[in-house]
Amino acid sequence: MKKTDFPINQALLKQDLYQAVNGAWLKQAVIPADHASVGGFMDLVDDIDKTLMHDSEAFRTGQTTPTTPELAEYTKFYRLAMDFTARDQAGATPLRPLIDRVTHLTSYAELNQQLSDWILTGLPAPLSLELDPDMKNATTMALYASGPGLFLPDKTYYQNNNPAYEQLMPIFAKMSARLLELTGVASHDAQAIVKQAQAFDAKVAKWVKSAEEAADYSDMYHPYTAEQFAHATSALDLSALLNALVDQVPEKIIVTEPDFFTHLDELLRPDNFENLKAWLLVKTVNRFSNYLSEEFRQVGGQFSRALAGKKTAVKPEKTAYYLAAGTFDQVVGDYYGKRYFGPQAKADVHHMVKAMIDVYQNRLAHNEWLSPKTKQMAQKKLANLGIQVGYPDQLDPLYQLFHVDEQQSLLENTLNIIAISQREKFAQWNQPVQRTRWEMSANTVNAYYHPFKNIIVFPAAILQAPFYSLEQSPSANYGGIGAVIAHEISHAFDNNGSLFDETGNLHNWWTSADHEHFQQLADRMINQFDGLPFADGKVNGKLTVSENIADAGGLSCAEAAAKQATPVDLTEFFINWARIWRTKDTTEYQQLLLSIDVHAPSPLRASVQVKNLTDFYTTFKVTPTDGMYLAPEDRVQIW
C-alpha cells in the first residue's frame, strides 16, 4: 500500500475533513522514537535523508567519485563527522580553546577587543547582527541588529508563571551543567555557572520580542544612526564593532528590537559581567556539543528531545550527515536537485508556477473590493514576482572557499568554515542585493516567499507526491502543489507582504479605504482561528494570521486553476488538500508549535480553510447540520 492509499471515511467527510481523509492513516501511524512527528512532510524528509545518506556513504567509501570540487570537500567533512572513534578520543579537547577564551575574560573591555572575532567565528554574543535587503531600499544590503536568542524557545515561557518554564528550564539547566562537567568544570562550579547564566537569560527575556511580536513586519524597521546605536551601551564599543565587521561605520543600522537596545546598557552593567560570562559559557557548550564525542552529543540533545517529546536521540550516523549536509547545504542541494529532479522537471514546475501566477492575475483583475489604483499596484507587484524552482542554475561561489583539513578536528573545520561564511556575509553590506541568490537548499522540504526581494522559492524536495505526481489527477495536484504555490504567491498580499512593493521596499501602495477594508478582512481571519482548542491549548490568531491568509488565498486560487483544467474533480482537489497536512505529532511538539509557530496546526489548516469556499459545500453536499458547515456570514474570503 502506498503512503497515499489509505481509505477515505466517506461518512466523515461532512463532519471532519481531516479525520475523514487521514483517520485510517492516523490509527496505524507510529512516531519513531527519534522523531517528534511523522506524516506527509516528514515522510519526504526521511526519504530524502535516506537517499542522501546512502550516496554520502558511497562518496566516503570511494564507491562513487564526487563530481565537483565542492562535493569532494563535503565528502571530506562528512568523513570527519563519521569518524566517531577520533571524536570520542578527542573528547572536549577541540572545544577547550573556546572555553578558555570565555573563562579568561576579566572585563567588558577584554570582551570588546575580541567581540568582532567572536561574531565572525560564530561564538555567542550579547547581540545579533545580520544582513538583509534594506526594507526602505531593497536594492541594497543593510545591517540589521537584534537581541540574542534565549535558552527557552520564546519569551512567553518566562512570563506569567508559565508552567512550561518550571517544566523545561530544570532540564536545560541540568543538561548544561553536565556539558560543563564534561569540559572539566567541577560539578558544584558547573551548577553555579548555570545559575548565573539563567539570571542573565531572564534579563534578556524581558526585552526581546515574542514570536507573536516578531511576526509583525510593520514593527521591524527602526533605523538608528551609528551614533544612536553606539549609545545603546557604554560597556562595549559598538562603533568599533561595526567598523571591524564591515570596514567602516555604517550611516544606518536597522534595529528590529528597539526595547532590547534601549535596555542594553542596563543589561551590561559591571555587576552583571560574571552572569554574562556564565551565559556565554553555557551558550558555547550547547552550540558545539554535537561536534564532539558521543557523550557530548547525547547529553547536548536532552533539552531538545524533551521539548519535542522525542524518546531517543537520532542515530550518530544521521547526526553526522546532518552536520555535514547543514554545513554544505547548497552543495548537497545542488547534487540532489540535478541527480533526482533534473532540468525537465524544473522547467515543468516553473511553467506550473507561471500558470498559477496568471490565475492570480486574473483574480486580481476581477477583484471587487480593491480600488483601481490599488489593484494596478497589486498587479504590478505580481508581474515583478521572482521565481526560483528546483535548484539554482549555478552553485553559490561561496562554497569554492570551503576547504577541509582532515588533519584538524571536525569542530576546527567547522569554525574555519563559519568564519569564511561570516566574512562573506558582512562583505555584502552596502552591496547590491543578489535577488536570484538561493537561501534554501534544493533538498529542503519547504517553500517560501521573501518580502524584501519579492520572490517565491520552491526547492526540488517538495515537488513530489503527495504534493505533486504524474500519477495523481490534475485536480489532486492542484490541491497539493498548486495550493502550495498559490500559498507562497498569497504571501505577497498577506498582512506582512502587503506592506512591501514590487521591488521589496516597505512602501504603502494602498489607498486608505482599501487598506482599512483589507485589515477588516485580516481581523476576521484572526478571529476565525483565535482560540481554537488544540493540544490542551489554544491557537493564537495574531501569531498565525499571515500564514492563514496565505492558506486561504492559496486554496482559493488553486481551486480556480483546478476548475480550468481538464478533467476537473473537486473531490480529489479537497481530499489531497487534506492529505498534504497529514501529521502525527508528540504532545510536547504540538504544544511547542502552538507557542512559536506562525502556522496554525496542520489538522486545522486542512479543515478550517475549506469551510470558506462555496464549492466545498456543493462538492460534499454539506448542510447546516453538518460539522463542516460554517454560516456564509462567517466565511472569510480575501483573495
Side-chain angles (χ1 to χ4, degrees):
M1 179 178 284
K2 296 180 182 179
K3 292 175 181 177
T4 57
D5 284 346
F6 291 90
I8 308 298
N9 187 331
Q10 300 293 330
L12 263 182
L13 286 170
K14 298 181 181 183
Q15 308 307 321
D16 187 327
L17 178 66
Y18 180 81
Q19 283 293 331
V21 174
N22 300 308
W25 174 84
L26 285 165
K27 287 181 180 179
Q28 62 80 49
V30 177
I31 303 173
D34 63 349
H35 281 44
S37 66
V38 66
F41 282 85
M42 201 66 229
D43 286 345
L44 291 184
V45 171
D46 287 342
D47 288 346
I48 292 167
D49 286 349
K50 183 177 180 180
T51 296
L52 291 175
M53 287 175 68
H54 173 272
D55 291 1
S56 296
E57 273 298 289
F59 291 138
R60 183 180 76 91
T61 58
Q63 297 176 21
T64 306
T65 302
T67 54
T68 66
E70 294 85 0
L71 203 56
E73 294 301 315
Y74 161 75
T75 301
K76 289 160 64 177
F77 192 94
Y78 175 72
R79 189 178 292 120
L80 283 173
M82 286 289 290
D83 192 347
F84 304 115
T85 299
R87 291 169 60 181
D88 285 342
Q89 288 175 347
T93 300
L95 187 64
R96 176 55 58 190
L98 303 184
I99 296 296
D100 289 344
R101 288 186 71 173
V102 179
T103 55
H104 291 163
L105 289 173
T106 61
S107 65
Y108 287 114
E110 288 187 6
L111 174 61
N112 192 60
Q113 292 173 356
Q114 304 179 39
L115 192 54
S116 62
D117 184 58
W118 281 39
I119 291 175
L120 289 172
T121 315
L123 291 173
L127 74 162
S128 177
L129 294 168
E130 295 294 335
L131 273 292
D132 230 333
D134 189 327
M135 293 169 67
K136 289 291 183 75
N137 178 20
T139 61
T140 304
M141 295 296 285
L143 198 60
Y144 284 75
S146 62
L150 301 169
F151 290 163
L152 298 188
D154 191 66
K155 73 176 296 181
T156 54
Y157 283 70
Y158 298 74
Q159 298 172 338
N160 303 321
N161 298 314
N162 190 330
Y165 182 94
E166 299 301 326
Q167 175 190 355
L168 292 169
M169 185 56 87
I171 298 173
F172 180 87
K174 183 178 180 181
M175 173 192 72
S176 298
R178 180 56 187 153
L179 287 174
L180 288 169
E181 290 172 16
L182 291 176
T183 69
V185 177
S187 177
H188 64 279
D189 291 335
Q191 293 177 33
I193 289 170
V194 171
K195 286 183 179 179
Q196 289 178 304
Q198 286 175 282
F200 189 84
D201 186 61
K203 290 181 181 294
V204 173
K206 293 180 180 179
W207 309 119
V208 294
K209 288 183 176 181
S210 67
E212 178 185 326
E213 293 166 334
D216 181 3
Y217 285 16
S218 67
D219 192 36
M220 285 181 63
Y221 196 81
H222 301 274
Y224 281 31
T225 65
E227 184 178 4
Q228 286 175 310
F229 188 69
H231 283 166
T233 177
S234 56
L236 301 173
D237 188 342
L238 296 184
S239 291
L241 172 63
L242 296 178
N243 188 60
L245 294 175
V246 299
D247 291 331
Q248 60 181 287
V249 179
E251 294 181 3
K252 177 173 63 178
I253 300 94
I254 301 170
V255 171
T256 62
E257 296 182 302
D259 279 354
F260 175 79
F261 287 94
T262 297
H263 296 89
L264 183 58
D265 206 41
E266 175 185 340
L267 186 66
L268 300 181
R269 284 170 23 185
D271 60 359
N272 213 23
F273 179 72
E274 291 302 319
N275 288 348
L276 169 62
K277 270 184 62 174
W279 182 85
L280 294 171
L281 275 174
V282 169
K283 282 269 187 175
T284 299
V285 294
N286 276 281
R287 167 73 174 83
F288 297 111
S289 61
N290 260 356
Y291 296 87
L292 304 171
S293 68
E294 177 63 10
E295 187 173 13
F296 266 102
R297 187 184 78 89
Q298 287 283 347
V299 174
Q302 288 173 352
F303 175 71
S304 63
R305 293 196 294 273
L307 190 63
K310 297 180 182 180
K311 295 181 176 62
T312 62
V314 172
K315 291 181 179 180
E317 294 80 7
K318 197 167 190 176
T319 299
Y321 160 72
Y322 283 156
L323 293 177
T327 303
F328 287 79
D329 56 344
Q330 295 289 351
V331 174
V332 175
D334 182 69
Y335 166 80
Y336 172 82
K338 292 176 179 175
R339 173 75 185 273
Y340 296 102
F341 191 64
Q344 182 178 352
K346 180 175 179 177
D348 288 344
V349 176
H350 192 279
H351 177 76
M352 192 174 183
V353 175
K354 291 286 290 183
M356 193 61 69
I357 290 175
D358 290 342
V359 170
Y360 218 106
Q361 282 282 20
N362 185 61
R363 304 252 318 177
L364 284 175
H366 292 88
N367 181 284
E368 296 180 350
W369 59 270
L370 285 176
S371 68
K373 179 182 177 182
T374 305
K375 185 181 295 187
Q376 181 181 13
M377 290 299 297
Q379 291 173 313
K380 183 179 180 182
K381 180 173 185 178
L382 192 57
N384 284 275
L385 186 66
I387 304 170
Q388 295 180 357
V389 169
Y391 53 91
D393 293 331
Q394 292 184 328
L395 182 64
D396 192 327
L398 166 68
Y399 294 92
Q400 297 175 9
L401 305 176
F402 289 6
H403 298 291
V404 177
D405 184 349
E406 293 188 86
Q407 300 306 308
Q408 293 185 326
S409 69
L410 175 65
L411 180 56
E412 287 175 304
N413 276 282
T414 299
L415 294 172
N416 291 337
I417 289 172
I418 289 174
I420 292 169
S421 299
Q422 288 286 88
R423 290 191 182 95
E424 194 274 343
K425 178 180 75 175
F426 285 107
Q428 296 176 43
W429 174 77
N430 213 31
Q431 296 299 307
V433 172
Q434 300 176 44
R435 192 169 180 236
T436 59
R437 186 176 189 174
W438 278 63
E439 297 177 356
M440 185 177 282
S441 61
N443 58 314
T444 304
V445 183
N446 210 334
Y448 71 92
Y449 169 75
H450 197 312
F452 305 172
K453 296 181 178 180
N454 194 31
I455 60 171
I456 47 176
V457 182
F458 303 97
I462 200 172
L463 303 171
Q464 52 188 307
F467 298 93
Y468 172 76
S469 171
L470 292 175
E471 297 180 8
Q472 295 178 169
S473 69
S475 293
N477 280 335
Y478 277 113
I481 196 62
V484 172
I485 292 170
H487 169 104
E488 300 306 337
I489 297 172
S490 295
H491 270 311
F493 306 102
D494 68 19
N495 61 304
N496 283 322
S498 62
L499 303 172
F500 299 84
D501 64 18
E502 73 278 4
T503 59
N505 288 315
L506 185 62
H507 167 224
N508 182 16
W509 45 271
W510 296 68
T511 67
S512 297
D514 285 343
H515 191 269
E516 182 179 351
H517 184 77
F518 172 78
Q519 189 57 56
Q520 290 172 356
L521 292 172
D523 288 342
R524 290 186 63 198
M525 185 63 75
I526 291 173
N527 293 334
Q528 188 172 75
F529 278 83
D530 196 51
L532 291 178
F534 190 80
D536 297 325
K538 294 181 179 180
V539 176
N540 183 335
K542 290 184 178 180
L543 174 63
T544 59
V545 60
S546 63
E547 294 296 337
N548 290 332
I549 291 174
D551 273 350
L555 185 62
S556 177
C557 288
E559 187 206 12
K563 290 166 72 173
Q564 294 176 9
T566 304
V568 59
D569 185 340
L570 291 185
T571 298
E572 280 295 308
F573 173 83
F574 287 116
I575 283 175
N576 203 40
W577 164 258
R579 184 181 287 128
I580 66 173
W581 301 118
R582 172 181 293 171
T583 184
K584 192 171 189 176
D585 306 321
T586 64
T587 300
E588 295 88 343
Y589 191 54
Q590 288 177 335
Q591 292 171 343
L592 170 64
L593 295 180
L594 206 58
S595 298
I596 64 172
D597 193 0
V598 293
H599 303 84
S602 292
L604 299 180
R605 297 180 77 174
S607 290
V608 174
Q609 292 292 357
V610 296
K611 296 178 183 180
N612 293 316
L613 298 181
T614 302
D615 282 337
F616 175 75
Y617 296 87
T618 56
T619 300
F620 295 106
K621 297 180 174 57
V622 177
T623 68
T625 60
D626 295 320
M628 288 298 298
Y629 184 82
L630 186 66
E633 62 269 20
D634 294 326
R635 299 172 195 173
V636 184
Q637 296 179 355
I638 302 179
W639 303 114

